[in-house]
Amino acid sequence: MFKKSVEAKAQQRLSGADRKKLKRTIKERFPAASDSDLDTLIPPKVEVTVSKHPNRVLIYSLEGGLPIFFDVDSRGTTIFPTVYALWKVPHLLPSFILKGGRAGQPWAVKVPGNPAPIAVGSTCMSSSEALKAGLRGKALKISHHYRDALWESAEGRYVPNAGFLEDVVFEDPSLSTTDAISDHVNNADNQELEVANAIIDDLDDSSSNTKISQQVITDLDNLKVTENVESDKGTAAEDQNTLSVEDVDALLDKCLLQAFYTTMKDKDLPIAGSTLWANHVLPCRPSGTVLDIKKSSHKKLSKWLQSKSTEGLISSKEDKHKKEVMVLSINRKHPVYTSFKPEKQQVEKTEQTVDHPSNETDLNTTMEVIEIYKPSVHVNPIFTSVGADTRQLYTASEASEVVFAYVEKENLVKPTNKSIVVLDAILCDALFKGAIKKGSTYPSEIHKKDLAPTFINRMQAHHQVTRGKESVVRKGGLKAMQIMTERRQGNKKVTKLSGMESFLIDAEPLASELQKKFACSTSVTEMPGKKGYEVLVQGGVIDVLARYLVEQYGIPKKYIEVLDKTARK
């Protein structure tokens, strides 16, 4: 269910009445929960939020973004605890034992030797039905599991014990001896162990007539579950427990810089802190390493990102509505960034997305703007006739080739004058239908030099901007970057630059660069009522700034609009 992260449509705090209603629903759904259990899951003085998702799922989270319950159909009848909730109150759900169960009941899945559940789901058959089926078939439908998108959505994600690693879950090493582990397993119901074995080994039907034949967990992605503690994995878990706060801080910074070099592109900004953590920082941690921000000196993701902003490595702001830190830009000229050397293996895997600091100047000059067009309903018949795809984008020359291919195919060149194209009904409609005033006569022919421009004008304009290895396609024509100088108090001048986002230029790094270049103060402000930012440069540097953008960033002059409000009339 949570294979991919999905942005919430809406999020709001629970009122006191809704909070009580949620507790009643949980109590009815999970009779094993006591009042103290409910207070553990939903602490009295902790804020609870509910987020609504496009697939109708409701996710209830505690203050700080920790998901605690999710409602599959938003009706309260199919509400489940997350693994975070089960790690707080393990007895909230029974572990996966079919004995005595009814179809549709919520159950948890555990690994032998580890008391913390790894997955949550509902049974697909009752015990009597399972016996009739010879204990064969799918026994449990998984709704949520460790390391899925719901688990990763938590700002302070964590694991319950050292048995939970990046791609494997095994016995809890804190159980002192092998005998203790064996006692724990032997005390469990035999069917529970057999189900766990089915998860592990996907046992064949013939192996035992009391074992579940098909793999019970069909939605655990690449998560591996093993019954034996390998010495190297045990060592890795022990190492995690012995990491000092300073070591965790250093590991966090290393993973962040690795992500900046390998997976984070400037076009991905601004980005929510939780998304940066889940999609970029965590994937860059060393294999077998648990990255727990709570064990760092910062304790919270927001405080860690704010510290990076204070250092000048990133620029950030707090989104008051989402109540999380948004990363606005990355300072790729910061000494910490430029002195960092990413791991070679990681760089090779993400070769196409790496930003090399030594090539920043080259990236600035490899600016390319292409005007492209999409076929519209007017010209679609022409594209279809010559076998061209109406869903693709075309440059002006490619679109011209299409219309002239149609002219050649239909033999529409005037025999007595090769520079004239005779219009048939299809081509005439493509060029002029809806554009000719009512009552006016449609033309019967067109000059070749006017054919392509008229045809292209009937298509939907788009543009593609490419800078280095970054490229973006947007609908409509490319709007010019605007540079405007105006007077402020007294005779002081200030130069304002806007529209740089359309050219894949980040406002914060540009402002820092201009501050050094022109030896003046600069600032960045969010434009009111619009998307984007405005860079303010002290002084009347309108002409030199325009020239700098052309020379250093490769912006075509036709896309720079200059307006001097200080000029005398």
Side-chain angles (χ1 to χ4, degrees):
M1 178 175 291
F2 299 103
K3 291 183 178 180
K4 297 180 180 179
S5 59
V6 180
E7 291 293 331
K9 294 171 59 178
Q11 181 174 322
Q12 63 184 30
R13 289 185 294 177
L14 283 188
S15 63
D18 289 336
R19 189 187 186 100
K20 292 179 181 179
K21 182 179 178 181
L22 175 61
K23 281 192 172 184
R24 288 197 302 268
T25 302
I26 295 171
K27 184 67 176 176
E28 293 172 1
R29 176 78 164 156
F30 311 109
S34 64
D35 291 340
S36 60
D37 291 336
L38 292 178
D39 288 339
T40 300
L41 295 171
I42 307 177
K45 295 184 179 181
V46 175
E47 182 180 293
V48 180
T49 61
V50 57
S51 56
K52 299 180 181 180
H53 292 256
N55 55 359
R56 297 185 63 187
V57 173
L58 299 180
I59 297 178
Y60 296 92
S61 303
L62 299 182
E63 185 177 354
L66 185 71
I68 205 77
F69 286 95
F70 62 96
D71 191 344
V72 175
D73 61 2
S74 69
R75 296 178 181 176
T77 57
T78 52
I79 193 169
F80 290 90
T82 66
V83 290
Y84 291 111
L86 291 177
W87 294 343
K88 290 176 178 288
V89 183
H91 59 267
L92 187 65
L93 287 182
S95 299
F96 189 77
I97 308 171
L98 284 180
K99 184 173 67 175
R102 296 191 311 270
Q105 281 192 323
W107 289 76
V109 177
K110 293 181 181 179
V111 175
N114 197 317
I118 63 170
V120 178
S122 55
T123 53
C124 299
M125 63 177 72
S126 66
S127 56
S128 59
E129 291 171 337
L131 291 173
K132 289 180 181 179
L135 293 180
R136 298 179 181 179
K138 184 185 293 186
L140 189 72
K141 180 180 179 181
I142 294 298
S143 299
H144 155 58
H145 59 79
Y146 166 59
R147 292 200 59 78
D148 66 2
L150 180 58
W151 179 86
E152 291 194 339
S153 69
E155 179 178 323
R157 65 180 64 87
Y158 66 93
V159 292
N161 56 59
F164 283 69
L165 293 184
E166 180 179 359
D167 59 351
V168 64
V169 177
F170 50 89
E171 297 93 329
D172 182 2
S174 64
L175 296 177
S176 57
T177 64
T178 305
D179 291 337
I181 297 176
S182 299
D183 291 342
H184 179 83
V185 174
N186 291 333
N187 289 334
D189 187 278
N190 289 333
Q191 281 189 310
E192 179 178 5
L193 178 57
E194 288 165 1
V195 169
N197 286 334
I199 299 171
I200 299 164
D201 300 321
D202 193 13
L203 295 177
D204 188 76
D205 297 355
S206 60
S207 61
S208 173
N209 58 8
T210 61
K211 294 180 179 179
I212 307 298
S213 62
Q214 296 185 5
Q215 188 175 7
V216 181
I217 306 304
T218 58
D219 194 26
L220 283 182
D221 296 335
N222 296 322
L223 180 64
K224 301 175 184 176
V225 183
T226 180
E227 197 176 352
N228 299 319
V229 182
E230 298 179 8
S231 59
D232 57 340
K233 293 173 182 175
T235 303
E238 292 173 4
D239 291 342
Q240 288 300 304
N241 292 330
T242 59
L243 283 179
S244 66
V245 173
E246 292 76 13
D247 292 336
V248 176
D249 286 348
L251 182 58
L252 283 171
D253 293 347
K254 177 183 177 181
C255 294
L256 179 66
L257 290 168
Q258 182 74 19
F260 285 171
Y261 268 86
T262 58
T263 64
M264 273 296 299
K265 296 182 180 180
D266 290 338
K267 69 177 183 178
D268 297 328
L269 301 168
I271 187 172
S274 57
T275 305
L276 171 66
W277 173 266
N279 296 346
H280 300 280
V281 176
L282 280 181
C284 288
R285 66 192 185 280
S287 178
T289 302
V290 178
L291 194 59
D292 189 352
I293 201 164
K294 287 188 175 181
K295 295 181 180 179
S296 70
S297 62
H298 309 283
K299 303 300 181 183
K300 291 185 178 181
L301 175 65
S302 58
K303 291 185 177 180
W304 177 51
L305 292 177
Q306 287 168 358
S307 70
K308 299 298 109 180
S309 181
T310 303
E311 294 173 9
L313 179 62
I314 63 172
S315 65
S316 64
K317 72 171 184 178
E318 183 180 359
D319 190 317
K320 295 182 179 179
H321 298 288
K322 294 184 179 180
K323 293 187 176 181
E324 69 172 319
V325 174
M326 301 291 295
V327 177
L328 306 178
S329 65
I330 302 168
N331 183 4
R332 300 190 187 274
K333 293 185 179 180
H334 194 279
V336 173
Y337 180 90
T338 56
S339 61
F340 179 76
K341 293 184 179 180
E343 295 180 2
K344 293 181 179 180
Q345 184 177 5
Q346 189 73 9
V347 172
E348 290 172 1
K349 290 183 179 179
T350 56
E351 183 179 356
Q352 295 182 352
T353 62
V354 176
D355 294 323
H356 300 283
S358 59
N359 292 337
E360 284 190 359
T361 303
D362 294 336
L363 288 177
N364 289 344
T365 57
T366 56
M367 176 80 187
E368 184 181 13
V369 178
I370 302 176
E371 295 176 342
I372 49 181
Y373 305 88
K374 184 178 181 180
S376 65
V377 292
H378 302 295
V379 300
N380 277 345
I382 303 297
F383 281 83
T384 303
S385 178
V386 299
D389 192 347
T390 58
R391 297 168 296 180
Q392 292 187 1
L393 295 167
Y394 296 83
T395 63
S397 61
E398 291 170 343
S400 299
E401 291 176 1
V402 170
V403 69
F404 278 106
Y406 178 82
V407 169
E408 183 178 356
K409 176 176 176 288
E410 300 297 329
N411 194 23
L412 299 179
V413 176
K414 194 172 185 178
T416 57
N417 188 347
K418 301 296 183 180
S419 63
I420 300 296
V421 174
V422 178
L423 301 179
D424 62 6
I426 295 177
L427 184 55
C428 184
D429 285 347
L431 298 178
F432 300 109
K433 187 176 182 179
I436 301 295
K437 291 183 179 181
K438 190 175 181 180
S440 301
T441 304
Y442 279 79
S444 59
E445 55 186 39
I446 188 173
H447 198 282
K448 279 187 176 181
K449 66 179 179 65
D450 298 325
L451 176 60
T454 306
F455 183 76
I456 293 171
N457 191 51
R458 300 280 282 179
M459 299 176 67
Q460 297 175 356
H462 288 65
H463 65 274
Q464 180 179 15
V465 179
T466 303
R467 178 182 299 284
K469 295 176 182 178
E470 296 185 32
S471 183
V472 63
V473 176
R474 300 188 182 97
K475 188 176 181 180
L478 179 60
K479 295 182 179 180
M481 187 184 301
Q482 187 179 73
I483 306 176
M484 181 174 64
T485 297
E486 60 183 24
R487 293 186 188 276
R488 291 290 173 91
Q489 294 179 349
N491 199 34
K492 293 182 179 179
K493 294 181 180 180
V494 62
T495 302
K496 299 192 294 185
L497 174 65
S498 61
M500 73 286 296
E501 295 87 0
S502 298
F503 298 88
L504 303 179
I505 300 175
D506 294 322
E508 290 283 353
L510 177 61
S512 177
E513 185 178 333
L514 296 179
Q515 181 182 14
K516 298 175 183 177
K517 174 66 178 177
F518 301 132
C520 62
S521 62
T522 61
S523 62
V524 177
T525 58
E526 189 171 1
M527 300 183 70
K530 297 182 180 180
K531 293 182 179 179
Y533 295 86
E534 186 176 65
V535 176
L536 277 70
V537 183
Q538 294 297 324
V541 295
I542 186 169
D543 293 328
V544 67
L545 177 56
R547 185 165 60 251
Y548 183 77
L549 291 171
V550 172
E551 295 174 355
Q552 296 297 319
Y553 283 85
I555 309 295
K557 290 183 179 180
K558 69 175 183 176
Y559 292 116
I560 298 179
E561 180 183 350
V562 176
L563 180 61
D564 188 358
K565 288 189 174 182
T566 67
R568 297 182 181 275
K569 296 182 180 179

